[in-house]
Amino acid sequence: MRLMYKAKCVLTVAFCAFVLLFIAYFTPMSVRYLEGFLPMSRCPQAPAEKLKLGNSIDASLDLWSRGDVQTCTDWGAPVIWDGMFDPDHYDQEHRKNHSSVSLTVFAVGRYLDAYLKAFLLSAERHFMEALPVTYYVFTDVPERVPDIHLGPGRSLKIVRVQRHSRWQDISMMRMRAIADAIESRIRHHSHYVFCFDVDQVFVGRFGSEALGDSVALLHAYYYHRPQSLYAYERNPRSRAYMETGDFYYHAAVFGGSWRTVKNMTETCYQTIMKDKENQVEALWHDESHLNKYLWIHKPSKVLSPEYCWDRNIGYRGDIHVVRLLWSEKKYGTLRVTET
């Protein structure tokens, strides 16, 4: 009996150890950690070759300073990582060119109170510090926009937008609002436009090295995954449908020259409305349509996940700095239907 009891105890301990190991190795956090060991592709350019860059400032990029990551695309666009650029050189050249930037952000409903102040304060510390910046805050409650002290050459404009009952509609309709603002206001004073989600904070330099004619961001959750696992729209009835692509881009950050961003947002809005006519809604809404656009119209510059990171992913050896950080998501309280 005593032997059977000991054997039972050993089996119980072994089973518990197995369960703990299973939890440790197969929870989402562990899977994300293991994904970091999957190698990225490498820059297809030979070391002696030059990228065919439309922006002469980008000729100073050192593509070979980061042998652990992909530093350029198949079509010759740079992928920007820490260690590839001289920030002072970029700022000096853009000041010589009198570059100016508009930043658009949507703070509708409860999102304004939850995130906008922290977003703007952090942007004042870290976003395009060397250049003139105009913030465009799109909101349904202009009177609740916080009063932020802005530095020299910085200004803030408020654009009233309609409140939608579904957060999905808010997300998708921002494309039209951005295009309208570019046409009526932004194009008259800014060379570049960057579009951001509000539920994030700047924690490091997000500077002029990010500027380009068409700028996309590698999604932090997908840049190490095989393409078969990308979250492309798989419904053939949607205008956002994709069988294959280049990367999976994150709609939390995108930008470029005002002309390019206007075309980008207008096109995405048109394809969203075509889907609505056909009673179709893409899985990831405006992000699905943005990925389709950027597959057809290749970006001239791609930002690494340093430029929009989530600490919940855990440690990644290729992330040397973090420049923009996801805020804590409060979907349960913020994405409820508002009346």
Side-chain angles (χ1 to χ4, degrees):
M1 291 292 293
R2 187 173 297 175
L3 186 62
M4 289 181 62
Y5 175 75
K6 287 183 177 179
K8 188 175 181 180
C9 289
V10 170
L11 287 172
T12 301
V13 171
F15 177 77
C16 291
F18 173 80
V19 170
L20 289 173
L21 286 171
F22 182 88
I23 292 172
Y25 281 99
F26 293 98
T27 55
M29 178 65 80
S30 296
V31 170
R32 290 195 291 268
Y33 176 77
L34 293 173
E35 284 176 353
F37 290 100
L38 296 175
M40 294 186 73
S41 298
R42 294 295 183 263
C43 180
Q45 301 284 332
E49 287 185 274
K50 294 284 188 180
L51 292 178
K52 297 175 182 178
L53 300 168
N55 184 346
S56 60
I57 304 174
D58 290 332
S60 66
L61 288 169
D62 184 357
L63 300 177
W64 317 111
S65 64
R66 292 292 302 269
D68 56 330
V69 291
Q70 183 171 352
T71 57
C72 74
T73 68
D74 293 341
W75 59 91
V79 183
I80 306 300
W81 296 85
D82 181 56
M84 287 176 53
F85 60 90
D86 178 348
D88 292 334
H89 172 72
Y90 265 90
D91 289 346
Q92 290 169 9
E93 290 301 311
H94 275 284
R95 279 196 293 261
K96 286 180 187 176
N97 293 340
H98 304 289
S99 297
S100 53
V101 186
S102 282
L103 180 159
T104 73
V105 63
F106 279 69
V108 177
R110 296 179 177 92
Y111 276 75
L112 186 150
D113 294 327
Y115 298 117
L116 182 61
K117 185 174 183 178
F119 176 87
L120 291 174
L121 287 172
S122 67
E124 273 298 279
R125 289 193 294 270
H126 300 295
F127 180 74
M128 304 291 169
E129 291 179 276
L131 301 177
V133 172
T134 304
Y135 299 104
Y136 280 86
V137 177
F138 295 77
T139 183
D140 58 326
V141 282
E143 67 278 4
R144 299 220 305 260
V145 173
D147 185 17
I148 301 295
H149 176 72
L150 302 176
R154 323 278 278 200
S155 61
L156 187 148
K157 300 182 185 299
I158 299 171
V159 182
R160 181 185 287 273
V161 293
Q162 179 184 353
R163 176 182 296 191
H164 295 273
S165 60
R166 297 171 67 246
W167 68 265
Q168 295 93 333
D169 291 326
I170 295 171
S171 174
M172 292 188 289
M173 291 304 104
R174 70 170 176 156
M175 292 296 186
R176 177 178 179 178
I178 292 169
D180 289 347
I182 292 173
E183 174 60 28
S184 62
R185 305 188 190 191
I186 292 173
R187 69 186 182 93
H188 300 294
H189 62 78
S190 291
H191 300 95
Y192 299 97
V193 184
F194 256 97
C195 308
F196 289 88
D197 285 353
V198 72
D199 52 349
Q200 41 198 0
V201 290
F202 295 90
V203 293
R205 173 189 168 92
F206 197 119
S208 57
E209 74 282 351
L211 297 176
D213 183 61
S214 173
V215 183
L217 168 75
L218 294 182
H219 198 299
Y221 277 81
Y222 290 92
Y223 75 108
H224 270 292
R225 293 183 183 179
Q227 191 181 108
S228 59
L229 297 180
Y230 290 174
Y232 294 144
E233 178 56 40
R234 303 300 186 183
N235 182 355
R237 295 181 59 226
S238 172
R239 290 298 182 98
Y241 172 67
M242 295 175 65
E243 289 185 6
T244 187
D246 303 308
F247 301 99
Y248 189 76
Y249 301 114
H250 196 175
V253 179
F254 62 92
S257 67
W258 70 259
R259 286 185 178 85
T260 297
V261 177
K262 182 173 183 287
N263 184 67
M264 188 186 303
T265 51
E266 283 179 340
T267 303
C268 288
Y269 173 70
Q270 290 164 5
T271 56
I272 288 167
M273 295 311 294
K274 287 291 184 181
D275 273 6
K276 281 186 171 293
E277 290 174 13
N278 296 324
Q279 298 183 322
V280 176
E281 189 172 282
L283 178 64
W284 293 111
H285 315 108
D286 58 337
E287 185 168 274
S288 298
H289 291 271
L290 182 66
N291 268 273
K292 180 64 173 287
Y293 177 92
L294 292 168
W295 179 54
I296 297 171
H297 309 274
K298 309 295 189 193
S300 64
K301 181 173 287 185
V302 178
L303 302 181
S304 72
E306 298 167 1
Y307 288 84
C308 189
W309 186 248
D310 183 7
R311 294 205 192 280
N312 289 322
I313 294 173
Y315 173 77
R316 289 282 172 86
D318 50 23
I319 301 297
H320 295 178
V321 299
V322 175
R323 306 177 187 280
L324 182 68
L325 193 62
W326 294 24
S327 297
E328 179 187 354
K329 306 302 180 185
K330 304 173 184 177
Y331 297 144
T333 57
L334 297 177
R335 284 186 172 179
V336 296
T337 300
E338 299 187 44
T339 57

